[in-house]
Amino acid sequence: MSTNSRTIAGRSARWDGLFDFMQMASGAGLILFMWCHMILVSSVLIGPGVMNAIAEFFEATGMAQVGGPLIFLVFLVHFFLAARKVPFRFEAQKTIWSHARMMRHGDTWMWVIQAVSAMIILLMGAIHMWVVLTDLPITAAKSAARIQSGFWFVFYLILLPLVELHVGIGFYRIAVKWGFIKDDSRSMFKKKENILTVGFITIGLLTLLRFMFLN
Ligand code: HEM
């Protein structure tokens, strides 16, 4: 290899490392956001007044008006960074699919779920954020009216498990890559992560039902 091509290879490896880091950092940020988001939305389970008070706080401090579009931006950046590794060509998709089936390797399957759910979350998440952020302020009554229309109930029934699966797998993959979990504790971590994911989906479903029956 010539000195010139070695320099180019070194530079592209550095960019790749930087993009990898940014992908994980934006993913970690979005995971934290989704946990806070669940607290905001599910606070309606305690009472609509509690949800309204939290939403009011976010608006009074400008966090909804500024933080909302910022989250939208991080969401898009995260998608484009992660999309570098997703095979969009049919031939490459077929190869990954057959490898996943051949290897029966849990982590490869997780990657496939991660990539497929990402496409749907990109579209549905963008529609959701647009609808909520162009109709501020957030109130329990407005959310309930949306969900009682039926369309948004079904919409969230699809988005909720996809997001929670994506977040759960993302959390596990970041922990493995950044070395927070060692090989011998992987399966234990996975089990705890699955419990957390099921817990979030359950709270999300209860929240949707609460909105459905809110007067
Ligand atoms: C820009 C920031 C966001 C705001 C201000 C926001 C706000 C809200 C609000 C007010 C609701 C209650 C339902 C409604 O009013 O229609 C809700 C529900 C929901 N949001 Fe968001 N959201 C944001 C970002 C996201 C993102 C990035 C995702 C995932 C891609 C997401 C996924 C969901 C899901 C799955 C539900 C249903 C929750 C449940 O089952 O209890 N949201 N969001």
Side-chain angles (χ1 to χ4, degrees):
M1 204 193 271
S2 72
T3 318
N4 200 16
S5 47
R6 255 202 307 270
T7 317
I8 293 172
R11 223 180 273 155
S12 92
R14 265 204 301 278
W15 276 111
D16 220 39
L18 177 69
F19 287 152
D20 251 0
F21 175 77
M22 282 169 62
Q23 181 197 329
M24 277 205 276
S26 56
L30 287 169
I31 291 173
L32 285 176
F33 167 76
M34 285 316 296
W35 288 343
C36 297
H37 171 282
M38 186 55 99
I39 295 173
L40 161 75
V41 179
S42 67
S43 62
V44 74
L45 289 172
I46 308 173
V50 181
M51 180 181 167
N52 289 341
I54 298 179
E56 253 172 58
F57 168 76
F58 281 119
E59 266 137 48
T61 51
M63 263 148 72
Q65 299 88 328
V66 180
L70 215 68
I71 288 293
F72 206 160
L73 192 70
V74 176
F75 177 82
L76 291 180
V77 167
H78 178 71
F79 174 79
F80 284 111
L81 288 172
R84 292 175 304 136
K85 308 239 182 80
V86 177
F88 287 99
R89 300 175 81 119
F90 183 62
E91 281 307 310
Q93 283 171 1
K94 248 177 38 188
T95 312
I96 291 217
W97 190 249
S98 66
H99 278 191
R101 282 178 45 183
M102 206 166 60
M103 292 196 291
R104 295 182 188 282
H105 187 256
D107 284 14
T108 311
W109 274 115
M110 277 195 195
W111 188 86
V112 173
I113 296 176
Q114 194 78 339
V116 174
S117 63
M119 308 292 162
I120 308 169
I121 293 171
L122 173 72
L123 184 69
M124 296 183 87
I127 294 173
H128 163 61
M129 278 185 271
W130 181 265
V131 167
V132 174
L133 292 174
T134 52
D135 189 23
L136 291 176
I138 294 170
T139 66
K142 262 199 230 168
S143 298
R146 257 197 293 273
I147 286 159
Q148 286 171 16
S149 74
F151 173 84
W152 291 102
F153 182 67
V154 177
F155 184 96
Y156 291 134
L157 274 186
I158 299 167
L159 183 59
L160 172 70
L162 287 177
V163 169
E164 295 309 338
L165 268 179
H166 193 91
V167 163
I169 296 174
F171 187 40
Y172 166 77
R173 287 167 62 91
I174 288 177
V176 170
K177 264 198 170 172
W178 279 356
F180 294 134
I181 38 174
K182 302 279 165 269
D183 278 352
D184 53 351
S185 53
R186 262 196 200 201
S187 66
M188 190 52 160
F189 187 89
K190 245 188 231 175
K191 256 187 219 141
K192 286 187 185 159
E193 183 45 56
N194 287 343
I195 294 173
L196 201 68
T197 303
V198 172
F200 275 127
I201 294 179
T202 310
I203 297 174
L205 288 176
L206 289 174
T207 304
L208 286 180
L209 285 176
R210 181 74 190 99
F211 279 128
M212 202 61 183
F213 296 104
L214 197 77
N215 280 321

